[in-house]
Amino acid sequence: MKGTSTTTLAYRDTKDACGVNDVSFEPVGADRTAAFAPTAKGHLSSVMAAPKDVDLAGVVKHINECLASPHSEKGSYPCSAGDYKVAVDASGKVTELWERAHS
């Protein structure tokens, strides 16, 4: 993911690849953007902390903190690898994001 605002998600699609201990996600294609639905929510996941549900402002804050410091444990929540599963509604707006924890 790239710099994200409370109105727009900036991202790249990924493909599954074999990792050392699990599946990894390799970016493919060009940078893209999608608008957030006003009620979008996020689910943060880390190997260092219990899962945490957040509102749109919380998930955007987390994404941007982790982009600034990818291995930080000092932000609002421990950073994973920046990989998210994203749900999109029929109009193309992002409704939900699930962070994929990496070890």
Side-chain angles (χ1 to χ4, degrees):
M1 298 210 167
K2 296 197 173 255
T4 293
S5 73
T6 55
T7 59
T8 306
L9 173 69
Y11 68 97
R12 286 181 67 192
D13 289 329
T14 62
K15 68 175 183 175
D16 295 353
C18 292
V20 175
N21 296 317
D22 56 12
V23 173
S24 63
F25 307 98
E26 293 180 1
V28 295
D31 291 347
R32 301 174 69 179
T33 60
F36 280 113
T39 57
K41 57 187 171 183
H43 309 281
L44 307 183
S45 190
S46 171
V47 295
M48 300 182 303
K52 180 179 179 180
D53 294 337
V54 294
D55 61 11
L56 177 56
V59 75
V60 169
K61 178 181 178 185
H62 178 71
I63 289 168
N64 288 323
E65 285 176 347
C66 292
L67 286 171
S69 299
H71 304 291
S72 174
E73 297 173 25
K74 298 178 183 177
S76 62
Y77 198 77
C79 296
S80 193
D83 293 319
Y84 292 80
K85 178 181 173 186
V86 179
V88 178
D89 66 16
S91 70
K93 291 186 178 175
V94 175
T95 58
E96 204 161 359
L97 294 96
W98 294 267
E99 185 172 26
R100 296 171 166 166
H102 290 264
S103 56

